[in-house]
Amino acid sequence: VLSRCLLIVSMLASAPAFADPSPEALLRAGRVQQAWPAAREAALAAPGDLDAQELFIDLSLTLRVVPRALPVYRERLAQPGDEADDHYLLGRIATSVSEAEGHYRKALELDPEHARAPMGLAAIHRARGELDQAIARYREALRRDARLAEAWAGLQAAQLQKDDVAGATATAREA
């Protein structure tokens, strides 16, 4: 029965008539190249949806097509008003650590309660091996928004890098 169910699921996933064109579904199907234009379309259609923006940025970084995506975020920053989310997104797509860090800090300057900017700074600290600072920043992000799965995962990874298995286990349970 299980093998029959798996066969049906695999047939449905590969059948064009039942294909879900969302970027997430394309990624689950391993169709990364097709996911990028779908993610771009979703990001452009919903400029305030940070999850859609992050997916488009992450796919752009993965596929090394940042020059094709960067103008979207530079244009957002060129609009009237200085928005914390726009700086956060530019920090996320930045190709240099100093540029990313500057945008994350600007996002926090504009909105001291911004939840995702500390997550970005935490990733920089973690990459530098500054694990105590990374853990503190991940916790800061989670205090502001406990739904940030990326912050939970980053916190666990930083704890494991510190050989704090008990802490990472407790974090996994809490997440």
Side-chain angles (χ1 to χ4, degrees):
V1 173
L2 180 60
S3 63
R4 226 182 269 145
C5 288
L6 291 173
L7 177 62
I8 291 168
V9 168
S10 69
M11 287 171 38
L12 289 174
S14 63
F18 298 102
D20 179 352
S22 73
E24 294 84 359
L26 291 166
L27 283 173
R28 281 192 298 278
R31 298 168 58 194
V32 179
Q33 293 292 333
Q34 290 102 347
W36 187 83
R40 182 178 193 279
E41 185 178 313
L44 292 174
D49 183 345
L50 287 181
D51 292 327
Q53 303 305 320
E54 287 176 341
L55 181 57
F56 176 52
I57 288 170
D58 293 350
L59 279 168
S60 297
L61 290 164
T62 299
L63 294 172
R64 298 181 181 184
V65 293
V66 169
R68 292 173 55 196
L70 192 55
V72 171
Y73 299 99
R74 294 237 184 263
E75 175 64 29
R76 286 174 65 125
L77 203 56
Q79 300 300 315
D82 211 4
E83 297 291 327
D85 284 347
D86 294 338
H87 282 282
Y88 163 71
L89 293 169
L90 269 168
R92 191 166 181 111
I93 199 168
T95 55
S96 80
V97 173
S98 61
E99 183 183 1
E101 191 170 18
H103 282 294
Y104 292 143
R105 291 190 187 287
K106 182 66 175 180
L108 285 172
E109 180 184 310
L110 292 168
D111 178 3
E113 292 303 310
H114 199 277
R116 295 176 192 227
M119 185 175 68
L121 289 169
I124 292 171
H125 287 302
R126 194 171 139 230
R128 289 178 177 158
E130 302 163 352
L131 300 177
D132 289 332
Q133 295 95 321
I135 289 168
R137 286 292 191 168
Y138 282 126
R139 288 191 190 285
E140 179 183 345
L142 290 167
R143 274 193 304 277
R144 294 173 184 173
D145 187 349
R147 297 167 297 163
L148 292 173
E150 186 176 334
W152 286 108
L155 175 58
Q156 291 170 12
Q159 289 169 319
L160 288 172
Q161 278 180 271
K162 279 191 72 168
D163 292 324
D164 181 6
V165 175
T169 302
T171 297
R173 284 190 185 108
E174 187 179 355

